[in-house]
């Protein structure tokens, strides 16, 4: 408790709070599109922190994480859209999505968690693909997911008459739809960060860490490795499910295309590039990898215009090219991620010294 | 009965392609314990290079066999260079890094290769030049083409060549030694760096051959084609027991046949509820099923838990 009252940390927290409040209004100066990008960055922070529990804390390589996000997104889409004519409120659907995603996590995890390392990775990858293929094809003979066309006209998040999709006046200030979602997302993200921080040093968190470092030793000191691993999987999945629901509401549209393997891979890249298992690092990774492609999207074309007088190379592929190269270069110079935890950096330095 | 035979033939052909690609994954994995995520992209580049080279030569009026052969050689050369470059740029600097780090550089390289291919060859589907014979045969009610026969023969020969290389040459011995223990191998005078580079180069050459076969089988190609193919081939490698050459071959063929049979019969089995567009899920369902009962794949050695 005393740490919070320390003037320096209090000042830091106040500063962060001020930045978080001002951010959507600053971003809006560049257009509402930038507010949406910021929103997506926060949504990915949410997702990356969920995956961080599985990969970073428990050390289980999950390449199909996006499947849980997809489950959450489709649960929201089907329960709050004209597709089935159901319009449940968001506070009822998000928990349903979380529970269902958690159920999928347990269903996938219980038979497969005994697999080691890369075998688990490929099984989760396969699971992700199975979910996507089903979403893509479950429109016949009974139309459940509407196939590749996806579900449209999904209800936005609303509390009573207060809709998150349209602008409204609050204390004489015009707050746009994306800006409202921003505050909703920040609140949720803060909650997730607190949960993560509390988990990390809890009994469960230490058990995860023990399993990550040495599963046999963990078993030997009496940790029920199977249940603890399953718990990590289930928790990660529930976070994914909630994030998916919000994604659905924010977009108003979902289709299987949003849940391809490359999305899983991107979320994993956020965790690893930021610094596996280190919460500030993961947040940094998520923000960077969401914002960088967008900055490139707006920057690559005009810069070519200025330098060469015309657009020489297709901006869309050039931007992904730079993005791919950035992934390679960052990992080469910072193999433990951009912002690894201090312990991890120390361990890495030690193994280096041993090898030399 | 004819349908069964037909599906078996189709599965065998598709499976031979999977097997060749799977070998690339399994060789790298066996030696370094690393999933080379960019391997599917190497195969794609192989196909596209063949399209350009063979297409150009055909336009110049060269005979089909010569143009096709030159296309294949060009693809193999480019892919070998690519494999070598991948290892140098994305993997070698990270040999002592945490386990997941090279996975991310591999993903980065995969994105880079896809976009380079898109810049060079464009976004559209490309037609594969007609370098393969067009003849068609009938056998017991099932029909198959000369291309299919060629694919099975070429992949069988290539795989036989690989086995000779691995089990009968000094390089092969060095590779086997490195896969058992790189440190001890280097003490015995094996140049581990060269062996690892060789694994990438050979795997990429096999990938190039597979790329040409995919192109001549489906007659179209696209800069994103490497992804699903790579995924299936990797699944095949894991199915057979990753790191195991025979396992990759068997896993590939098995996967091809399971997919073909699955696609052919799923409609009947589920009373028309699920159609053949569910073809892609068989690979993964079989994989999960097999790994539940044999956690190291069909032919993988039981690795004991190491403390």
């Amino acid at each position: 408790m005393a740490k919070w009252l320390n003037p320096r940390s209090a000042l830091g927290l106040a500063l962060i709070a001020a930045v978080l409040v001002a951010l959507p209004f600053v971003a809006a100066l560049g257009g509402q599109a930038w507010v949406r990008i910021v929103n997506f960055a926060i949504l990915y922070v949410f997702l990356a922190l969920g995956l961080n529990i599985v990969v970073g804390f428990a050390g289980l390589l999950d390449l199909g994480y996006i499947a849980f996000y997809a489950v959450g997104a489709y649960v929201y889409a089907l329960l709050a859209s004209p597709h089935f004519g159901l319009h449940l409120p968001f506070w009822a659907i998000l928990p349903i999505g979380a529970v269902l995603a958690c159920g999928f996590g347990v269903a996938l995890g219980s038979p497969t968690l005994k697999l080691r390392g890369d075998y688990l990775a490929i099984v989760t990858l396969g699971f992700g693909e199975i979910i996507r293929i089903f979403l893509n094809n479950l429109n016949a003979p009974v139309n459940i997911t509407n196939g590749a066309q996806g579900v449209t006209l999904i209800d936005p998040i609303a509390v009573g008459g207060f809709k998150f999709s349209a602008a409204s006046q609050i204390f004489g200030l015009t707050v746009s739809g994306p800006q409202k979602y921003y505050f909703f997302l920040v609140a949720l993200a803060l909650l997730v960060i607190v949960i993560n921080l509390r988990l990390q040093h809890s009994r469960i968190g230490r058990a995860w860490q023990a399993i990550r470092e040495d599963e046999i030793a963990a078993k030997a000191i009496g940790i029920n490795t199977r249940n603890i691993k399953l718990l990590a999987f289930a928790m990660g999945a529930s976070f994914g499910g909630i994030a998916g629901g919000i994604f659905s509401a924010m977009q108003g549209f979902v289709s299987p295309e949003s849940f391809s393997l490359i999305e899983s891979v991107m979320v994993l890249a956020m965790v690893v590039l930021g610094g596996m298992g280190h919460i500030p690092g993961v947040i940094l990774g998520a923000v960077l990898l969401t914002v960088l492609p967008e900055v490139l999207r707006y920057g690559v074309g005009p810069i070519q215009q200025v330098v060469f007088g015309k657009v020489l190379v297709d901006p869309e592929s050039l931007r992904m090219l730079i993005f791919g190269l950035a992934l390679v270069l960052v990992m080469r110079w910072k193999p433990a991620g951009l912002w690894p935890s201090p312990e991890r950096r120390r361990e890495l330095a030690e193994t280096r010294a041993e090898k030399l | 009965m004819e349908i069964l035979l037909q599906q078996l033939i189709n599965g065998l052909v598709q499976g031979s392609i999977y097997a060749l690609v799977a070998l690339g994954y399994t060789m790298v994995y066996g030696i370094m314990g690393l999933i080379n995520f960019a391997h599917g992209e190497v195969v794609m580049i192989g196909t596209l290079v063949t399209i350009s080279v063979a297409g150009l030569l055909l336009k110049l009026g060269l005979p089909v066999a010569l143009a096709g052969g030159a296309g294949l050689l060009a693809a193999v050369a480019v892919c070998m260079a690519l494999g070598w470059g991948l290892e140098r740029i994305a993997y070698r600097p990270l040999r002592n890094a945490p386990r997941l780090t090279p996975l991310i550089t591999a993903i980065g390289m995969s994105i880079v290769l896809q976009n380079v291919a898109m810049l060079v060859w464009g976004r559209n589907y490309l037609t594969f030049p007609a370098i393969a014979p067009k003849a068609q045969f009938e056998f017991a009610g099932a029909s198959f083409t000369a291309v299919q026969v060629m694919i099975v023969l070429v992949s069988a020969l290539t795989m036989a060549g690989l086995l000779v290389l691995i089990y009968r040459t000094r390089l092969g011995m060095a590779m086997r030694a490195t896969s058992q223990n790189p440190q001890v191998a280097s003490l015995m005078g094996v140049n581990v760096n060269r062996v690892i580079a060789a694994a990438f180069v050979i795997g990429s050459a096999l990938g190039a051959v597979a790329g040409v076969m995919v192109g001549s089988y489906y007659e179209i190609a696209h800069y994103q084609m490497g992804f699903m193919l790579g995924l299936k081939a990797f699944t095949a490698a894991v199915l057979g027991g990753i790191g195991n050459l025979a396992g990759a071959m068997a896993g590939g063929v098995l996967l091809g046949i399971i997919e073909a049979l699955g696609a052919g019969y799923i409609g009947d089995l589920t009373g028309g509820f699920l159609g053949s567009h569910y073809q892609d899920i068989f690979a993964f369902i079989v994989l999960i099923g097999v790994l539940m009962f044999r956690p190291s794949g069909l032919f993988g050695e039981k690795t004991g838990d190491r403390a």
Side-chain angles (χ1 to χ4, degrees), chain A residues 55 59 61 63 108 111-112 114-123 125-127 129-130 132-134 137-142 144 214 216 219 261-262 265-266 268-270 272-273 276 313-314 316-318 320-325 327-329 331-337 344 348 351-352 355, chain B residues 29 33-35 37 88-90 93-109 111-116 118-119 123 183 227-228 231 234-235 237-239 241-243 272-274 277-281 284-285 287-288 291-297 300 303-307:
Chain A
V55 181
L61 181 50
L63 284 177
L108 170 67
T112 57
K114 64 179 178 190
L115 298 173
R116 344 208 90 247
D118 299 316
Y119 285 95
L120 180 66
I122 187 77
V123 165
L125 186 158
F127 172 73
E129 282 298 297
I130 291 174
R132 190 183 59 81
I133 292 167
F134 267 103
N137 293 307
L138 271 182
N139 54 343
V142 187
I144 300 173
D214 191 332
I216 297 165
K219 217 179 235 169
L261 174 61
I262 194 74
V265 162
M266 288 304 296
L268 181 68
M270 289 167 186
V272 178
L273 189 105
M276 250 188 356
V313 186
D314 174 23
E316 181 57 24
S317 43
L318 189 61
M320 288 316 284
L321 199 76
I322 294 173
F323 180 71
L325 280 176
L327 278 187
V328 175
L329 291 178
M331 292 330 283
R332 263 190 77 158
W333 307 128
K334 289 258 179 198
R344 196 161 167 76
L348 208 66
T351 43
R352 281 260 166 86
K355 286 236 157 103
Chain B
Y29 193 93
L34 166 93
I35 306 172
F37 242 93
R88 284 310 289 264
I89 295 167
L94 295 170
R95 205 140 321 142
N96 296 324
R99 208 172 56 87
L100 283 184
T101 308
L103 195 70
I104 303 299
T105 54
I107 290 159
M109 288 312 289
I111 295 174
V112 168
L113 287 178
Q114 266 195 33
N115 285 284
V116 167
M118 187 161 97
L119 286 174
R123 285 163 191 276
Q183 268 149 354
F227 185 71
M228 203 42 163
L231 205 59
F234 183 62
T235 305
V238 175
L239 191 63
I242 189 152
F273 182 72
L274 300 175
H277 35 260
Y278 284 95
Q279 184 186 5
D280 284 346
I281 67 171
F284 303 119
I285 287 180
L287 178 83
I288 294 176
L291 289 184
M292 270 166 66
F293 296 104
R294 290 197 57 96
S296 333
T303 45
D305 294 347
R306 260 184 254 171

Side-chain angles (χ1 to χ4, degrees), chain B residues 107-210:
Chain B
I107 290 159
M109 288 312 289
S110 166
I111 295 174
V112 168
L113 287 178
Q114 266 195 33
N115 285 284
V116 167
M118 187 161 97
L119 286 174
V120 175
W121 283 281
R123 285 163 191 276
N124 298 327
Y125 281 87
L126 301 170
T127 322
F128 199 81
I131 53 172
K134 280 269 176 278
Q136 192 141 10
F137 309 100
E138 292 274 334
F139 176 75
S143 71
F144 51 95
T145 61
V147 176
Q148 291 183 311
V149 177
M150 229 169 68
I151 287 173
V152 175
L153 280 182
V154 170
S155 53
L157 279 176
T158 317
M159 287 190 246
L162 181 72
L163 287 180
V164 171
L165 180 83
I166 299 289
Y167 290 102
R168 289 281 179 272
T169 65
R170 281 180 69 84
L171 176 65
M173 204 199 301
M175 289 173 102
R176 281 178 289 140
T178 308
S179 78
Q180 280 182 6
N181 189 330
Q183 268 149 354
V184 177
S186 75
L187 289 176
M188 300 296 143
V190 173
N191 185 340
V192 174
N193 278 337
R194 268 192 31 209
V195 166
I196 291 175
F200 271 89
V201 168
I202 296 168
S204 304
L206 297 176
V209 176

Side-chain angles (χ1 to χ4, degrees), chain A residues 45 48-49 52-53 57 189-190 192-201 270-271 274-286 339-342:
Chain A
V45 166
L49 284 173
N52 184 46
I53 295 176
F57 290 171
L190 286 177
V192 175
I193 291 170
V194 170
I195 293 175
N196 262 271
L197 284 170
R198 300 299 298 160
L199 268 177
Q200 189 170 19
H201 298 295
M270 289 167 186
V271 175
M276 250 188 356
H278 190 224
I279 294 164
V282 172
I283 296 172
L284 176 74
W339 192 353
S341 59

Side-chain angles (χ1 to χ4, degrees), chain A residues 157-164 166 168 180:
Chain A
I157 290 177
V159 185
F162 185 79
K163 279 197 174 166
F164 275 68
S168 56
K180 286 187 208 162

